[in-house]
Amino acid sequence: MHDRGRRRLFTAGALLALAALAIAGCGSSSSLRRTGPVWTPVPDASAIPGTPMVAGDWPTFDADAVRSGVNPGETAISAATVGGLRRQWRTALPQPADSTPILLHDLRLPDGAQHDVLYVTTQGGTTLALDAATGAILWRAAPVGQRITNSSPVADPANLVIYSYGLDGKVHRYDAATGAETRDAVWPVTVTRMPGSEKQGSALTLANGYLYVTTGGYIGDAPPYQGHVVAIHLIDGRVTVFNSLCSNIGHVLGSGECPDDQSGLWARAGVVVDPITGYLFVTSGNGPYTANQGGHDWGDSVIELSADATHIIDSFTPAGFATLDQFDQDLGSTMPALLPPIAGSQTPYLLVQGGKDDVLRLLDRQNLSGQGGPGHVAGELQIIATPGKCNVLTQPAVWQDPASHAIWVYVTDDCGTGAYRVVTSAQGVTTLAHAWDSPQGGTSPVLAGGVLFVAASGAVRALDPHSGRQLWSSADAGTGGSIGNVHWQSPIVIGGRVYCSDQDGNLTAFGS
């Protein structure tokens, strides 16, 4: 079925019930400190609501709230057919979209016809809807504000709603078909009280019945700013907040409220949601760290939060946190990459954390520091070099090969693209093993149809995920031309097409 009624199977009441299920595993204390990790898998993991998924949609950055970067349902593009991709259209946007588009398929528009529709947020805060088949702009919304954003919007396919950040410090809610904005006692919702110095540049996340928004600083790190996770309850509009600095204050901070500064939750993926527990993962970049001394500052830390962002479940902070802060080596230049459950492992639930210190860290999601709770230092299971030993400012992709069930992690940076296999010894010790490197780097990789896609300035490339061998490039002769420079842009691959925006202000589609 492809009609509007099908999408409405995900009702507001269903989202509320699922949100309650996820939150039930998180406790209800008013304190932001925990005495130990409370890691409670829900018996039916499928009941944890991420972005409500409908086959054929790409509703959020990296395809899902886990930020896997994988579209397992793609069948039109494969290793055998990817070489036939050609440019189908290119549309000039009103400003560059330094972000990643999302897509809803078979959406009934006011003309009565059904269309696949792309949505993208430009640097200037304009939200655009485009016909995915032709590139024609269907509607646009441009809240008045200041500065720039690199945020990607998120769709609620169940209720046909698009959420997007405007430069006015607020998140806005639009009808997916018409662009009509909801303006009532709840929407739009303020997520920063300092939009001139505090930036919302990360992708928005929809899960657990909440819309999640993060904040950081602008290039140059001019204060004041602190990193927030703002959780907006989709049913009643209630807002709950975690602040990476002054975490004892439970609302969006205003100028002068917190004496500490310059910790940002700025990586492009935004909030990452654990599909097993519904807990949230974010990583802060720089700023002071005092939690190991009973303080409330969480600079350069991986932080696990309850679904409503009010309780700290666990944390990890590198032993060299002071050095990271001193030399601007943000741990939070990327968000955690969550691995699927690993059979036969002593630590079956893991994550991979990159950063600007040129290494990847393997952490136990059930005990991040290995010391039984938040506020401890060190405890990683493994440290391994990034591709070319460069900073990671992208979101890794995590793929479980359906043929071999092997788990792969793909990381891109300015020095190259690297693949790491997850291996477990006979003793149950799990580590990352470097598998291959490509000297060409790029932005956040995605995987669809058994093909790895990476965008860099000039081209989107398709690689064999097992070897790194290039299968196709949009810059190849006969494809219809390359793309412009890229910064935070990354492709999406769905329905037989590859879509990617660029810094030249274009959005381009490639298809067979």
Side-chain angles (χ1 to χ4, degrees):
M1 294 186 295
H2 301 298
D3 59 6
R4 188 180 178 100
R6 172 196 61 110
R7 295 185 180 278
R8 296 267 180 206
L9 290 175
F10 294 88
T11 64
L15 282 175
L16 182 58
L18 290 172
L21 175 61
I23 295 168
C26 302
S28 58
S29 168
S30 61
S31 171
L32 277 168
R33 294 300 304 277
R34 297 301 293 259
T35 58
V38 183
W39 204 90
T40 310
V42 171
D44 178 10
S46 65
I48 289 293
T51 306
M53 296 294 290
V54 175
D57 291 339
W58 190 293
T60 189
F61 173 85
D62 260 5
D64 53 42
V66 184
R67 306 312 198 203
S68 68
V70 176
N71 175 9
E74 179 60 38
T75 58
I77 292 177
S78 66
T81 64
V82 69
L85 293 177
R86 300 291 184 268
R87 191 179 86 185
Q88 293 191 331
W89 53 258
R90 174 171 293 162
T91 296
L93 307 178
Q95 309 101 18
D98 192 5
S99 60
T100 300
I102 60 174
L103 181 145
L104 294 180
H105 85 294
D106 285 349
L107 184 65
R108 191 176 301 280
L109 297 182
D111 63 6
Q114 294 187 190
H115 300 256
D116 291 353
V117 181
L118 291 162
Y119 304 89
V120 68
T121 303
T122 72
Q123 283 184 318
T126 297
T127 302
L128 297 166
L130 299 93
D131 189 311
T134 67
I137 295 176
L138 302 173
W139 59 257
R140 68 184 72 196
V144 176
Q146 54 186 317
R147 306 293 299 256
I148 62 168
T149 184
N150 313 94
S151 181
S152 292
V154 66
D156 176 354
N159 296 300
L160 302 177
V161 171
I162 304 299
Y163 297 96
S164 187
Y165 178 72
L167 300 186
D168 53 357
K170 300 178 180 180
V171 170
H172 296 258
R173 184 180 190 268
Y174 304 104
D175 182 284
T178 67
E181 182 176 0
T182 301
R183 285 193 169 269
D184 54 24
V186 174
W187 298 99
V189 176
T190 297
V191 295
T192 173
R193 296 165 61 190
M194 301 177 286
S197 59
E198 193 164 73
K199 181 181 181 183
Q200 201 294 303
S202 304
L204 307 184
T205 307
L206 193 68
N208 299 322
Y210 288 91
L211 175 67
Y212 299 111
V213 189
T214 61
T215 66
Y218 290 94
I219 293 175
D221 293 333
Y225 69 87
Q226 295 91 18
H228 318 309
V229 176
V230 181
I232 306 167
H233 197 282
L234 295 178
I235 303 302
D236 58 19
R238 176 171 48 90
V239 172
T240 48
V241 178
F242 165 76
N243 296 306
S244 63
L245 302 179
C246 296
S247 64
N248 55 313
I249 301 175
H251 60 255
V252 174
L253 297 168
S255 180
E257 278 195 88
C258 181
D260 301 315
D261 217 328
Q262 295 183 308
S263 174
L265 304 176
W266 61 270
R268 65 191 62 186
V271 169
V272 178
V273 181
D274 193 315
I276 307 300
T277 63
Y279 295 157
L280 317 180
F281 283 91
V282 291
T283 307
S284 60
N286 293 349
Y289 173 73
T290 62
N292 61 329
Q293 301 172 349
H296 303 286
D297 292 339
W298 299 84
D300 284 310
S301 298
V302 177
I303 306 151
E304 183 181 15
L305 298 168
S306 61
D308 62 357
T310 62
H311 311 320
I312 296 176
I313 306 300
D314 204 358
S315 70
F316 163 81
T317 306
F321 63 86
T323 300
L324 296 183
D325 186 33
Q326 179 183 1
F327 292 101
D328 193 33
Q329 294 180 312
D330 302 54
L331 186 71
S333 63
T334 182
M335 290 297 180
L338 308 189
L339 306 189
I342 303 166
S345 176
Q346 296 175 359
T347 52
Y349 299 99
L350 298 173
L351 68 79
V352 177
Q353 179 63 49
K356 288 166 64 177
D357 59 348
D358 308 341
V359 299
L360 304 173
R361 292 175 170 87
L362 187 66
L363 306 180
D364 181 357
R365 293 206 320 261
Q366 294 180 279
N367 193 359
L368 288 172
S369 68
Q371 298 169 72
H376 298 288
V377 172
E380 53 268 89
L381 302 177
Q382 181 189 11
I383 296 177
I384 189 171
T386 59
K389 298 182 179 180
C390 275
N391 301 345
V392 178
L393 290 88
T394 61
Q395 186 65 19
V398 178
W399 179 56
Q400 187 159 25
D401 186 335
S404 67
H405 303 292
I407 299 171
W408 295 75
V409 180
Y410 302 97
V411 181
T412 52
D413 56 34
D414 286 345
C415 295
T417 300
Y420 302 80
R421 278 199 61 176
V422 178
V423 297
T424 301
S425 71
Q427 292 73 40
V429 177
T430 300
T431 56
L432 297 177
H434 180 257
W436 56 260
D437 272 333
S438 166
Q440 294 175 291
T443 61
S444 302
V446 298
L447 199 143
V451 179
L452 183 68
F453 291 85
V454 179
S457 292
V460 180
R461 296 183 299 129
L463 309 176
D464 182 329
H466 300 99
S467 67
R469 179 175 61 90
Q470 183 166 300
L471 305 174
W472 171 83
S473 169
S474 67
D476 290 343
T479 64
S482 60
I483 62 173
N485 291 332
V486 300
H487 177 231
W488 268 33
Q489 296 89 349
S490 56
I492 69 172
V493 184
I494 187 165
R497 289 193 181 100
V498 179
Y499 304 94
C500 192
S501 56
D502 61 41
Q503 287 293 84
D504 292 353
N506 297 313
L507 179 59
T508 303
F510 300 89
S512 298

